[in-house]
mmCIF file of all heavy atoms in Angstrom:
data_model
loop_
_atom_site.group_PDB
_atom_site.id
_atom_site.type_symbol
_atom_site.label_atom_id
_atom_site.label_comp_id
_atom_site.label_asym_id
_atom_site.label_seq_id
_atom_site.Cartn_x
_atom_site.Cartn_y
_atom_site.Cartn_z
ATOM 1 N N ASN A 17 117.895 96.190 96.426
ATOM 2 C CA ASN A 17 118.745 96.192 97.616
ATOM 3 C C ASN A 17 118.070 96.846 98.824
ATOM 4 O O ASN A 17 118.707 97.010 99.871
ATOM 5 C CB ASN A 17 120.060 96.910 97.315
ATOM 6 C CG ASN A 17 120.876 96.188 96.259
ATOM 7 O OD1 ASN A 17 120.943 94.959 96.249
ATOM 8 N ND2 ASN A 17 121.480 96.939 95.355
ATOM 9 N N VAL A 18 116.806 97.204 98.684
ATOM 10 C CA VAL A 18 116.055 97.830 99.774
ATOM 11 C C VAL A 18 115.028 96.827 100.302
ATOM 12 O O VAL A 18 114.230 96.281 99.534
ATOM 13 C CB VAL A 18 115.345 99.114 99.296
ATOM 14 C CG1 VAL A 18 114.534 99.732 100.433
ATOM 15 C CG2 VAL A 18 116.362 100.116 98.763
ATOM 16 N N ASP A 19 115.038 96.573 101.599
ATOM 17 C CA ASP A 19 114.111 95.618 102.186
ATOM 18 C C ASP A 19 112.699 96.185 102.259
ATOM 19 O O ASP A 19 112.498 97.401 102.345
ATOM 20 C CB ASP A 19 114.565 95.221 103.600
ATOM 21 C CG ASP A 19 115.810 94.350 103.585
ATOM 22 O OD1 ASP A 19 116.033 93.657 102.574
ATOM 23 O OD2 ASP A 19 116.548 94.351 104.584
ATOM 24 N N ASN A 20 111.710 95.282 102.257
ATOM 25 C CA ASN A 20 110.311 95.655 102.414
ATOM 26 C C ASN A 20 109.768 95.063 103.704
ATOM 27 O O ASN A 20 110.039 93.904 104.031
ATOM 28 C CB ASN A 20 109.483 95.137 101.235
ATOM 29 C CG ASN A 20 109.755 95.897 99.954
ATOM 30 O OD1 ASN A 20 109.178 96.944 99.706
ATOM 31 N ND2 ASN A 20 110.652 95.368 99.125
ATOM 32 N N TYR A 21 108.994 95.857 104.430
ATOM 33 C CA TYR A 21 108.369 95.422 105.677
ATOM 34 C C TYR A 21 106.886 95.775 105.618
ATOM 35 O O TYR A 21 106.520 96.869 105.179
ATOM 36 C CB TYR A 21 108.988 96.123 106.889
ATOM 37 C CG TYR A 21 110.444 95.814 107.128
ATOM 38 C CD1 TYR A 21 111.445 96.441 106.379
ATOM 39 C CD2 TYR A 21 110.833 94.914 108.114
ATOM 40 C CE1 TYR A 21 112.789 96.167 106.603
ATOM 41 C CE2 TYR A 21 112.173 94.635 108.342
ATOM 42 C CZ TYR A 21 113.136 95.265 107.589
ATOM 43 O OH TYR A 21 114.469 94.991 107.817
ATOM 44 N N PHE A 22 106.048 94.847 106.072
ATOM 45 C CA PHE A 22 104.635 95.176 106.207
ATOM 46 C C PHE A 22 104.377 95.491 107.676
ATOM 47 O O PHE A 22 104.593 94.638 108.541
ATOM 48 C CB PHE A 22 103.735 94.032 105.743
ATOM 49 C CG PHE A 22 102.288 94.397 105.798
ATOM 50 C CD1 PHE A 22 101.704 95.086 104.749
ATOM 51 C CD2 PHE A 22 101.531 94.117 106.914
ATOM 52 C CE1 PHE A 22 100.376 95.484 104.818
ATOM 53 C CE2 PHE A 22 100.215 94.508 106.997
ATOM 54 C CZ PHE A 22 99.631 95.190 105.945
ATOM 55 N N THR A 23 103.893 96.713 107.965
ATOM 56 C CA THR A 23 103.893 97.188 109.343
ATOM 57 C C THR A 23 102.522 97.524 109.922
ATOM 58 O O THR A 23 102.439 97.833 111.108
ATOM 59 C CB THR A 23 104.787 98.445 109.470
ATOM 60 O OG1 THR A 23 104.399 99.406 108.473
ATOM 61 C CG2 THR A 23 106.253 98.081 109.290
ATOM 62 N N GLU A 24 101.449 97.487 109.116
ATOM 63 C CA GLU A 24 100.144 97.739 109.736
ATOM 64 C C GLU A 24 98.979 97.287 108.897
ATOM 65 O O GLU A 24 98.899 97.573 107.700
ATOM 66 C CB GLU A 24 99.950 99.231 110.041
ATOM 67 C CG GLU A 24 98.618 99.486 110.764
ATOM 68 C CD GLU A 24 98.303 100.953 110.978
ATOM 69 O OE1 GLU A 24 99.242 101.729 111.233
ATOM 70 O OE2 GLU A 24 97.120 101.324 110.891
ATOM 71 N N CYS A 25 98.059 96.569 109.565
ATOM 72 C CA CYS A 25 96.716 96.329 109.051
ATOM 73 C C CYS A 25 95.839 96.007 110.255
ATOM 74 O O CYS A 25 96.291 95.343 111.197
ATOM 75 C CB CYS A 25 96.679 95.171 108.052
ATOM 76 S SG CYS A 25 95.178 95.156 107.038
ATOM 77 N N SER A 26 94.612 96.470 110.245
ATOM 78 C CA SER A 26 93.702 96.241 111.369
ATOM 79 C C SER A 26 92.491 95.449 110.920
ATOM 80 O O SER A 26 91.996 95.616 109.796
ATOM 81 C CB SER A 26 93.235 97.574 111.957
ATOM 82 O OG SER A 26 92.276 97.359 112.983
ATOM 83 N N GLY A 27 91.993 94.600 111.823
ATOM 84 C CA GLY A 27 90.670 94.037 111.641
ATOM 85 C C GLY A 27 89.628 95.068 112.055
ATOM 86 O O GLY A 27 89.927 96.000 112.796
ATOM 87 N N PHE A 28 88.387 94.890 111.575
ATOM 88 C CA PHE A 28 87.335 95.855 111.869
ATOM 89 C C PHE A 28 86.078 95.138 112.348
ATOM 90 O O PHE A 28 85.718 94.077 111.828
ATOM 91 C CB PHE A 28 87.015 96.699 110.634
ATOM 92 C CG PHE A 28 88.139 97.598 110.211
ATOM 93 C CD1 PHE A 28 89.033 97.199 109.228
ATOM 94 C CD2 PHE A 28 88.321 98.833 110.812
ATOM 95 C CE1 PHE A 28 90.075 98.021 108.840
ATOM 96 C CE2 PHE A 28 89.363 99.662 110.435
ATOM 97 C CZ PHE A 28 90.246 99.261 109.454
ATOM 98 N N ALA A 29 85.424 95.755 113.335
ATOM 99 C CA ALA A 29 84.185 95.178 113.860
ATOM 100 C C ALA A 29 83.106 95.092 112.793
ATOM 101 O O ALA A 29 82.195 94.256 112.880
ATOM 102 C CB ALA A 29 83.692 96.017 115.045
ATOM 103 N N SER A 30 83.201 95.927 111.769
ATOM 104 C CA SER A 30 82.230 95.899 110.675
ATOM 105 C C SER A 30 82.389 94.668 109.785
ATOM 106 O O SER A 30 81.554 94.426 108.906
ATOM 107 C CB SER A 30 82.357 97.169 109.835
ATOM 108 O OG SER A 30 83.688 97.334 109.358
ATOM 109 N N ALA A 31 83.463 93.910 109.986
ATOM 110 C CA ALA A 31 83.681 92.652 109.255
ATOM 111 C C ALA A 31 83.769 91.527 110.286
ATOM 112 O O ALA A 31 84.854 91.114 110.681
ATOM 113 C CB ALA A 31 84.956 92.729 108.415
ATOM 114 N N PRO A 32 82.626 91.011 110.757
ATOM 115 C CA PRO A 32 82.615 90.101 111.903
ATOM 116 C C PRO A 32 82.763 88.617 111.570
ATOM 117 O O PRO A 32 82.890 87.798 112.485
ATOM 118 C CB PRO A 32 81.239 90.359 112.522
ATOM 119 C CG PRO A 32 80.374 90.680 111.336
ATOM 120 C CD PRO A 32 81.264 91.407 110.356
ATOM 121 N N HIS A 33 82.746 88.239 110.294
ATOM 122 C CA HIS A 33 82.681 86.821 109.946
ATOM 123 C C HIS A 33 84.063 86.166 110.053
ATOM 124 O O HIS A 33 84.989 86.520 109.323
ATOM 125 C CB HIS A 33 82.110 86.643 108.545
ATOM 126 C CG HIS A 33 80.726 87.208 108.399
ATOM 127 N ND1 HIS A 33 79.638 86.701 109.082
ATOM 128 C CD2 HIS A 33 80.266 88.260 107.679
ATOM 129 C CE1 HIS A 33 78.562 87.402 108.779
ATOM 130 N NE2 HIS A 33 78.911 88.363 107.928
ATOM 131 N N PHE A 34 84.161 85.178 110.937
ATOM 132 C CA PHE A 34 85.449 84.552 111.265
ATOM 133 C C PHE A 34 86.112 83.958 110.019
ATOM 134 O O PHE A 34 87.282 84.236 109.746
ATOM 135 C CB PHE A 34 85.236 83.459 112.321
ATOM 136 C CG PHE A 34 86.507 82.889 112.872
ATOM 137 C CD1 PHE A 34 87.010 83.318 114.088
ATOM 138 C CD2 PHE A 34 87.220 81.909 112.181
ATOM 139 C CE1 PHE A 34 88.188 82.786 114.607
ATOM 140 C CE2 PHE A 34 88.395 81.387 112.685
ATOM 141 C CZ PHE A 34 88.884 81.826 113.900
ATOM 142 N N ARG A 35 85.382 83.137 109.272
ATOM 143 C CA ARG A 35 86.000 82.452 108.129
ATOM 144 C C ARG A 35 86.471 83.429 107.066
ATOM 145 O O ARG A 35 87.552 83.276 106.499
ATOM 146 C CB ARG A 35 85.022 81.443 107.530
ATOM 147 C CG ARG A 35 84.756 80.231 108.385
ATOM 148 C CD ARG A 35 84.361 79.036 107.561
ATOM 149 N NE ARG A 35 83.271 79.330 106.638
ATOM 150 C CZ ARG A 35 82.843 78.489 105.697
ATOM 151 N NH1 ARG A 35 83.437 77.321 105.535
ATOM 152 N NH2 ARG A 35 81.846 78.809 104.911
ATOM 153 N N ASP A 36 85.647 84.442 106.778
ATOM 154 C CA ASP A 36 86.043 85.422 105.751
ATOM 155 C C ASP A 36 87.291 86.190 106.185
ATOM 156 O O ASP A 36 88.183 86.457 105.369
ATOM 157 C CB ASP A 36 84.901 86.397 105.489
ATOM 158 C CG ASP A 36 83.720 85.732 104.790
ATOM 159 O OD1 ASP A 36 83.910 84.634 104.234
ATOM 160 O OD2 ASP A 36 82.616 86.311 104.819
ATOM 161 N N ASN A 37 87.354 86.552 107.462
ATOM 162 C CA ASN A 37 88.530 87.269 107.967
ATOM 163 C C ASN A 37 89.766 86.381 107.984
ATOM 164 O O ASN A 37 90.879 86.840 107.707
ATOM 165 C CB ASN A 37 88.253 87.798 109.381
ATOM 166 C CG ASN A 37 87.243 88.929 109.384
ATOM 167 O OD1 ASN A 37 87.239 89.764 108.490
ATOM 168 N ND2 ASN A 37 86.380 88.963 110.382
ATOM 169 N N LEU A 38 89.575 85.112 108.322
ATOM 170 C CA LEU A 38 90.684 84.158 108.301
ATOM 171 C C LEU A 38 91.284 84.077 106.906
ATOM 172 O O LEU A 38 92.504 84.185 106.724
ATOM 173 C CB LEU A 38 90.190 82.776 108.748
ATOM 174 C CG LEU A 38 91.226 81.659 108.749
ATOM 175 C CD1 LEU A 38 92.057 81.701 110.026
ATOM 176 C CD2 LEU A 38 90.560 80.289 108.597
ATOM 177 N N VAL A 39 90.410 83.912 105.913
ATOM 178 C CA VAL A 39 90.871 83.775 104.528
ATOM 179 C C VAL A 39 91.550 85.058 104.052
ATOM 180 O O VAL A 39 92.632 85.016 103.460
ATOM 181 C CB VAL A 39 89.695 83.403 103.600
ATOM 182 C CG1 VAL A 39 90.117 83.517 102.131
ATOM 183 C CG2 VAL A 39 89.202 81.995 103.903
ATOM 184 N N TRP A 40 90.936 86.219 104.321
ATOM 185 C CA TRP A 40 91.504 87.475 103.824
ATOM 186 C C TRP A 40 92.877 87.739 104.428
ATOM 187 O O TRP A 40 93.831 88.093 103.716
ATOM 188 C CB TRP A 40 90.563 88.655 104.141
ATOM 189 C CG TRP A 40 91.001 89.915 103.464
ATOM 190 C CD1 TRP A 40 90.623 90.365 102.235
ATOM 191 C CD2 TRP A 40 91.945 90.878 103.970
ATOM 192 N NE1 TRP A 40 91.267 91.548 101.938
ATOM 193 C CE2 TRP A 40 92.079 91.893 102.978
ATOM 194 C CE3 TRP A 40 92.677 90.987 105.143
ATOM 195 C CZ2 TRP A 40 92.920 92.995 103.146
ATOM 196 C CZ3 TRP A 40 93.523 92.092 105.308
ATOM 197 C CH2 TRP A 40 93.636 93.071 104.321
ATOM 198 N N ASN A 41 93.008 87.595 105.741
ATOM 199 C CA ASN A 41 94.284 87.874 106.402
ATOM 200 C C ASN A 41 95.397 86.971 105.899
ATOM 201 O O ASN A 41 96.526 87.417 105.655
ATOM 202 C CB ASN A 41 94.134 87.733 107.919
ATOM 203 C CG ASN A 41 93.640 88.988 108.582
ATOM 204 O OD1 ASN A 41 94.390 89.920 108.826
ATOM 205 N ND2 ASN A 41 92.342 89.024 108.871
ATOM 206 N N LEU A 42 95.091 85.687 105.741
ATOM 207 C CA LEU A 42 96.114 84.765 105.261
ATOM 208 C C LEU A 42 96.410 84.999 103.786
ATOM 209 O O LEU A 42 97.578 85.033 103.368
ATOM 210 C CB LEU A 42 95.670 83.324 105.495
ATOM 211 C CG LEU A 42 95.788 82.863 106.946
ATOM 212 C CD1 LEU A 42 94.883 81.684 107.219
ATOM 213 C CD2 LEU A 42 97.235 82.500 107.264
ATOM 214 N N ASP A 43 95.381 85.185 102.989
ATOM 215 C CA ASP A 43 95.551 85.348 101.549
ATOM 216 C C ASP A 43 96.339 86.619 101.213
ATOM 217 O O ASP A 43 97.316 86.584 100.461
ATOM 218 C CB ASP A 43 94.175 85.388 100.889
ATOM 219 C CG ASP A 43 94.245 85.563 99.377
ATOM 220 O OD1 ASP A 43 95.219 85.070 98.773
ATOM 221 O OD2 ASP A 43 93.337 86.191 98.811
ATOM 222 N N VAL A 44 95.947 87.739 101.811
ATOM 223 C CA VAL A 44 96.523 89.031 101.448
ATOM 224 C C VAL A 44 97.799 89.333 102.226
ATOM 225 O O VAL A 44 98.756 89.881 101.670
ATOM 226 C CB VAL A 44 95.493 90.165 101.673
ATOM 227 C CG1 VAL A 44 96.103 91.536 101.412
ATOM 228 C CG2 VAL A 44 94.278 89.943 100.779
#
């Protein structure tokens, strides 16, 4: 009966690869 909210995640300059970041953000 308690709702869940996801409220923070950041991208990082140390992970510059567009495709890998696209997949990770959508997947996770």
Side-chain angles (χ1 to χ4, degrees):
N17 296 320
V18 178
D19 289 334
N20 288 276
Y21 296 79
F22 184 84
T23 52
E24 183 185 324
C25 197
S26 176
F28 294 95
S30 56
H33 300 295
F34 188 99
R35 290 207 309 172
D36 291 343
N37 290 322
L38 179 82
V39 169
W40 189 91
N41 274 280
L42 284 158
D43 180 32
V44 175

